[in-house]
Amino acid sequence: EPEVTQTPSHQVTQMGQEVILRCVPISNHLYFYWYRQILGQKVEFLVSFYNNEISEKSEIFDDQFSVERPDGSNFTLKIRSTKLEDSAMYFCASSDEQPRQPQHFGDGTRLSIL
Amino acid sequence: AQKITQTQPGMFVQEKEAVTLDCTYDTSDQSYGLFWYKQPSSGEMIFLIYQGSYDEQNATEGRYSLNFQKARKSANLVISASQLGDSAMYFCAMRDRLPTGGYQKVTFGIGTKLQVIP
């Protein structure tokens, strides 16, 4: 069964550095998403991406964040000038356009900011 | 604004017994989708079951069933014949239509931690 893959599984970065989280969505999916889960808290929506542009973003997704689909398979989340509070699990997800289809999540990247 | 409420922070169930995890939601939309995800201690998010707002029958997937009561805006997950491997966090989530017509983000509840006791 096709799946969403994320790399790396764990990223440790010094505060102030830039980090890029990578995702390979399911190949025939049209919508791509990033979510964040701070340890012990609920999953929070960051951004959705469709047709090579951001279609929706939350208040969390400020100028520090950006997303890109650099080629036909990868979908990346860039976090500039990382802060301690950016430490979290970051999930990539993808879905078909139809509402019945669930968003399929990757296994997540655990980001630790030191 | 949509909202998902899960009022049970933790639940215990005896192995082989059934358990119901509660979820209520709030939306002004007529067309929406409800999901349940499982998150084991390893951290990944596993899709379990989906219920559409226009579906007349409750969704079922193996040992999982969704008790959908639209008038009460509840979408409880029922796990039958609990197994030790069912111990995990369970998240209720909703996806509804944007003004543009697309279905975009999913909003999650805070989750319920289920522990299955041998």
Side-chain angles (χ1 to χ4, degrees):
Chain A
E1 184 175 331
E3 58 182 25
V4 176
T5 56
Q6 289 186 244
T7 55
S9 56
H10 192 189
Q11 174 81 44
V12 181
T13 303
Q14 290 289 331
M15 185 173 62
Q17 297 296 306
E18 175 182 287
V19 64
I20 297 176
L21 309 182
R22 303 181 190 279
C23 170
V24 179
I26 295 174
S27 60
N28 63 340
H29 282 181
L30 302 175
Y31 288 88
F32 315 116
Y33 312 83
W34 284 100
Y35 290 82
R36 179 181 82 176
Q37 186 182 30
I38 296 171
L39 186 64
Q41 298 186 23
K42 69 176 181 178
V43 179
E44 300 173 291
F45 169 78
L46 292 178
V47 65
S48 60
F49 193 86
Y50 172 72
N51 200 26
N52 286 319
E53 61 183 18
I54 291 173
S55 48
E56 189 183 8
K57 61 182 181 179
S58 71
E59 314 79 56
I60 303 169
F61 194 88
D62 58 21
D63 292 343
Q64 185 192 5
F65 295 89
S66 61
V67 290
E68 191 178 30
R69 188 156 164 81
D71 53 44
S73 60
N74 291 285
F75 180 51
T76 62
L77 174 69
K78 182 188 290 185
I79 309 174
R80 289 180 283 273
S81 189
T82 50
K83 299 174 282 192
L84 294 177
E85 52 264 38
D86 294 328
S87 294
M89 181 76 93
Y90 288 82
F91 290 102
C92 174
S94 69
S95 71
D96 197 341
E97 185 171 5
Q98 297 305 313
R100 180 170 293 276
Q101 300 304 315
Q103 293 183 4
H104 292 268
F105 283 72
D107 288 347
T109 293
R110 185 169 297 284
L111 178 63
S112 300
I113 306 299
L114 303 179
Chain B
Q2 60 177 310
K3 180 180 174 183
I4 299 288
T5 302
Q6 294 181 257
T7 57
Q8 305 154 314
M11 291 280 286
F12 290 91
V13 64
Q14 203 76 38
E15 193 178 6
K16 300 181 184 178
E17 297 292 313
V19 63
T20 298
L21 307 183
D22 295 341
C23 173
T24 58
Y25 60 91
D26 184 24
T27 181
S28 55
D29 294 312
Q30 296 301 309
S31 181
Y32 51 88
L34 296 157
F35 303 87
W36 278 90
Y37 286 86
K38 172 184 178 181
Q39 187 178 43
S41 57
S42 50
E44 69 268 30
M45 295 288 286
I46 302 168
F47 165 72
L48 294 179
I49 196 167
Y50 167 89
Q51 180 82 43
S53 58
Y54 292 120
D55 293 343
E56 294 185 353
Q57 292 193 331
N58 288 341
T60 59
E61 286 286 347
R63 293 186 300 110
Y64 305 108
S65 61
L66 202 152
N67 183 3
F68 181 48
Q69 299 187 45
K70 193 171 181 177
R72 295 185 179 183
K73 293 188 175 178
S74 75
N76 299 339
L77 176 70
V78 180
I79 306 174
S80 62
S82 298
Q83 302 171 355
L84 295 178
D86 293 335
S87 293
M89 282 290 286
Y90 288 81
F91 292 98
C92 180
M94 181 167 66
R95 186 180 188 187
D96 59 0
R97 190 189 293 274
L98 291 175
T100 54
Y103 283 78
Q104 297 282 343
K105 74 174 186 180
V106 170
T107 299
F108 286 80
I110 62 172
T112 295
K113 185 171 184 178
L114 177 67
Q115 291 185 261
V116 181
I117 305 167

